[in-house]
Structures are given as C-alpha cells and as structure tokens.
C-alpha cells in the first residue's frame, strides 16, 4: 500500500490545465489551415487538383477551403509551389454553422454561437451525450473516447457520455451515416427527449468525407436533423472536440 501511494505521489497531477492554458500539441499536428493568396502563382490549380475530396475551390481568384470536407491530408500544402496553403497549430475549428467552415484569406477560427438561453440554462453545467458511430472507421470514435481519460477528464466540465439515448440530452454523431445505420440513427434521435442537441464530429459526419456521394452512405447528418455543432477534422483532435463542446455550452 505504501508503495502504491508513493508511486501515485510521484506521478503528480496528470490532468491538463486546459482551458486555463493553451494546449500542448505535437509539431506534426495539422490545425486550422491558413490561406495566403499573395503567395499564389496566377493560374495555378495544383492544390485543387491534388485534393482527394474537392475541399478547395478558386472562383475568379477567390480561394476557399471547406473544413467540413477537408480530411487534413496535407497534400495541398506539400504540392503547392507557392505554399499558399499551410496548416497551423490552431486547434479551434468547430462552428455552429456549416457556412462558417468555409475559410478564405482571412485567417481566424470559425465563429461559434452558444446555445440559445433556454437550452443553455439546461445544459451549461450538465450535459449528457449518446455517441453514435454511423458507419465510421473508428478514428473519430477513438478521439472522442480519449476525452474520458485522465488527461482530459471530460466529466470535470459536467459533460458525460451515457449508454441510452433516453438518458441523454443530445447526440454526438461520427461517421458518414451508412444506409445500414440510417434507420438506427433516426430511432436514436427520436429516443432523445426534447429539447435536445446534435453534434457532428469529423468530415464524414459533416459532409460524407471520403465517402461523399457514395451510393451506400447518406453523406453526413446535414439534412436529417438540425445540427448545433460541427467539429471538422479527420479525425478531430480531442482538444478541437473539447473546445467545441465548451464554447457551445458557454463555458469559453
């Protein structure tokens, strides 16, 4: 017993101090992209052609990158001769409106509006979510599960995942919504008591991601239910998810 207590004291406090301090992220982390149009060589469409999901567009010199489609593969940054697009270490990328996920030359995290006062008063201090994997590859699901570990300790913010939608305040959905999961997802949504919230995490849940326009998937959650929070990424970093949850509930 004494050895156990001594080891525990030596380990110290392992939970991150976020959001009091900025998170410590690895050098290889790909966060919010920055588009510097001044570096673009006129007429070059390399970044558009190498993007595997068509997240980048250029209309009459007006560059745009859709975070809801982007899988953060880094191909645009690697192949662009002028380095017009670069990935920064900014983890704040969640938005309350899909249109705000389309970024251009003005580098700034997408705006995120907290819940309206009625739901905010209910969920600000206590939020229970049912996580649904609607055909995902398990990457987004894994990073959601990480939030329950000692480092992030999601429950200290009053946010927890529950086993039953009838015990939940809302859904956190991952995956492109395969046809086999469509009915199950709708039944799960109906089982959550109102008022409820819907959070989509990852490019697949937002737009279909790599599977967009495939005949076996619905192409994301949009169009099925009203969505309150869009968290881009492939998969989103746990800090990106946590930031979105805290801003949605008015904690940041």
């Amino acid at each position: 017993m004494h050895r156990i207590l001594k080891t525990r004291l030596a380990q110290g406090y392992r939970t991150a101090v976020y959001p009091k301090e900025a998170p410590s992220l690895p050098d290889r982390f790909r966060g919010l992209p920055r588009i510097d149009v001044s570096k673009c060589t006129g007429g070059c469409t390399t970044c558009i052609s190498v993007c595997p999901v068509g997240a980048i567009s250029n209309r009459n010199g007006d560059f745009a990158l859709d975070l809801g489609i982007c899988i953060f593969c880094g191909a645009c940054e690697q192949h662009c001769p002028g380095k017009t697009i670069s990935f920064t270490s900014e983890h704040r990328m969640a938005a309350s409106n899909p249109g705000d996920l389309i970024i251009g030359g003005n580098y700034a995290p997408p705006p995120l509006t907290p819940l309206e006062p009625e739901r905010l008063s209910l969920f600000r201090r206590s939020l229970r979510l049912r996580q649904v994997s609607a055909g995902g590859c398990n990457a987004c699901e894994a990073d959601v599960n990480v939030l329950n570990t000692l480092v992030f300790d999601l429950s200290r913010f009053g946010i927890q995942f529950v086993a039953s939608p009838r015990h939940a305040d809302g859904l956190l959905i991952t995956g492109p919504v395969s046809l086999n999961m469509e009915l199950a997802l709708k039944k799960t949504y109906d089982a959550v008591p109102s008022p409820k919230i819907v959070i989509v995490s990852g490019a697949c849940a937002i737009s279909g991601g790599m599977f967009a326009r495939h005949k076996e998937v619905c192409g994301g959650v949009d169009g099925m239910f009203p969505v309150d929070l869009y968290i881009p990424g492939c998969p989103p970093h746990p800090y990106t998810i946590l930031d979105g949850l805290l801003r949605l509930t008015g904690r940041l």
Side-chain angles (χ1 to χ4, degrees), residues 121-143:
S121 64
L122 292 173
F123 305 141
R124 181 166 185 166
R125 297 176 64 86
S126 176
L127 178 63
R128 302 293 182 264
L129 297 172
R130 174 67 168 98
Q131 199 275 319
V132 180
S133 176
C137 69
N138 206 40
C140 290
E141 294 82 354
D143 276 358

Side-chain angles (χ1 to χ4, degrees), residues 107-214:
Y107 175 75
L112 200 165
T113 306
L115 295 169
E116 68 276 10
E118 179 186 357
R119 288 190 295 172
L120 192 61
S121 64
L122 292 173
F123 305 141
R124 181 166 185 166
R125 297 176 64 86
S126 176
L127 178 63
R128 302 293 182 264
L129 297 172
R130 174 67 168 98
Q131 199 275 319
V132 180
S133 176
C137 69
N138 206 40
C140 290
E141 294 82 354
D143 276 358
V144 168
N145 288 338
V146 165
L147 291 174
N148 294 312
T149 62
L150 178 66
V151 173
F152 298 96
D153 191 15
L154 185 64
S155 61
R156 64 191 164 120
F157 302 106
I159 305 173
Q160 294 180 333
F161 292 100
V162 294
S164 171
R166 300 190 185 281
H167 300 160
D169 302 310
L171 301 179
L172 191 152
I173 305 169
T174 56
V177 190
S178 64
L179 294 183
N180 287 338
M181 279 297 299
E182 182 181 11
L183 180 59
L185 180 59
K186 289 180 178 178
K187 286 185 175 181
T188 305
Y189 175 83
D190 292 338
V192 178
S194 297
K196 49 194 164 188
I197 66 175
V198 174
I199 300 165
V200 291
S201 183
C204 285
I206 296 174
S207 64
M210 290 289 291
F211 308 99
R213 296 179 295 279
H214 193 284

Side-chain angles (χ1 to χ4, degrees), residues 39-113:
K39 294 182 179 180
C40 181
T41 56
C44 177
T45 59
T46 302
C47 59
I48 298 175
S49 61
V50 299
C51 181
V53 291
I56 306 171
S57 62
N58 184 0
R59 299 177 182 177
N60 300 321
D62 186 13
F63 260 95
L65 189 153
D66 193 336
L67 295 175
I69 302 176
C70 179
I71 59 172
F72 292 78
C73 65
C76 55
E77 182 181 36
Q78 295 167 13
H79 293 280
C80 176
K83 301 300 180 184
T84 302
I85 301 176
S86 60
F87 288 87
T88 71
S89 59
E90 176 57 70
H91 68 285
R92 296 172 297 172
M93 292 184 283
S96 49
N97 189 312
D100 292 329
L101 294 175
I102 302 175
I103 61 173
N106 296 326
Y107 175 75
L112 200 165
T113 306

Side-chain angles (χ1 to χ4, degrees), residues 215-227:
K215 63 180 181 179
E216 294 297 329
V217 302
C218 299
V221 179
D222 252 356
M224 298 180 66
F225 327 114
V227 176

